[in-house]
Amino acid sequence: MPRQGVSARQAETVARLVEAAEAELRDRGGEGVSVRSVARRAGVSSGTAYTYFASKGHLFAELFQRHLGGLGGDVDQLDSDDPVVRVQAVTDKVTGLLIEFPALADVVTPALLGADPDVARVRLLIGADIMERFERAVGPGADPILVEALTQCFLGGLLSAGMGLTTYAQLASRMRQMVATIMRGNV
């Protein structure tokens, strides 16, 4: 989410900035990326980039949010009638994204933990997206406390991996077990 509302033309500029941020991150890693380098790569001025993104953390948060949105919300259309399998699919998809894009995995936790109000807005969208995925995966009439427990467990796991206490691959495996445990007797 850019810092301000955007017209169609401005949305194109924002999209170019996010694409450039991804390319910079893949090419240079998180420490090598700046809003200025992203602006240069996107073919816009630094001032224009800062009009839409307050910091590189804001850019990284937006990049993660867009990738998360790109995973699709089709978990409720899986071939399984088992809500445990559907919830595990949610955690598999998100951890899979971070396994496949390690440079993003390296920068997303510090970015999301920042105090920047623009990042906070994106952080709320990400949390809501994940919670909604779990709610759909659990199925109709999902117990809100169960959905919250799954969300808190998963977000805590993502934080743990982001802090280097575990890897995202290990988290993927452990989340399958934790989901089964949390949901035992609740569905």
Side-chain angles (χ1 to χ4, degrees):
M1 299 298 299
R3 298 176 78 186
Q4 61 183 29
V6 294
S7 68
R9 182 171 163 242
Q10 292 167 321
E12 181 183 312
T13 300
V14 169
R16 283 197 344 253
L17 286 164
V18 173
E19 289 168 12
E22 180 169 347
E24 285 285 292
L25 190 55
R26 288 186 189 277
D27 290 350
R28 306 173 90 187
E31 293 302 313
V33 177
S34 68
V35 174
R36 293 181 198 289
S37 69
V38 169
R40 191 171 31 257
R41 189 174 203 134
V44 301
S45 72
S46 296
T48 297
Y50 278 111
T51 298
Y52 301 109
F53 295 102
S55 63
K56 73 178 184 177
H58 186 196
L59 267 166
F60 294 154
E62 176 66 17
L63 178 60
F64 178 69
Q65 194 268 334
R66 287 184 183 218
H67 272 275
L68 187 61
L71 293 176
D74 60 352
V75 295
D76 51 353
Q77 297 173 4
L78 288 175
D79 291 332
S80 178
D81 291 331
D82 186 347
V84 173
V85 171
R86 293 192 307 260
V87 171
Q88 289 169 333
V90 172
T91 63
D92 287 349
K93 279 187 171 191
V94 178
T95 54
L97 162 65
L98 296 166
I99 291 166
E100 293 172 18
F101 193 173
L104 180 59
D106 289 345
V107 299
V108 71
T109 299
L112 291 175
L113 292 176
D116 179 340
D118 294 308
V119 172
R121 233 179 42 253
V122 179
R123 183 173 54 232
L124 289 173
L125 291 172
I126 290 167
D129 182 297
I130 290 172
M131 184 174 263
E132 185 178 302
R133 287 169 190 272
F134 285 139
E135 186 173 15
R136 283 195 317 267
V138 170
D143 179 353
I145 297 299
L146 174 61
V147 172
E148 185 176 346
L150 292 165
T151 303
Q152 293 297 326
C153 178
F154 188 50
L155 293 177
L158 291 173
L159 178 62
S160 181
M163 293 171 54
L165 301 176
T166 189
T167 66
Y168 287 99
Q170 291 166 331
L171 174 62
S173 174
R174 292 295 291 157
M175 280 307 305
R176 294 181 132 287
Q177 296 168 345
M178 288 186 269
V179 163
T181 300
I182 291 169
M183 293 187 68
R184 189 181 306 138
N186 288 303
V187 288

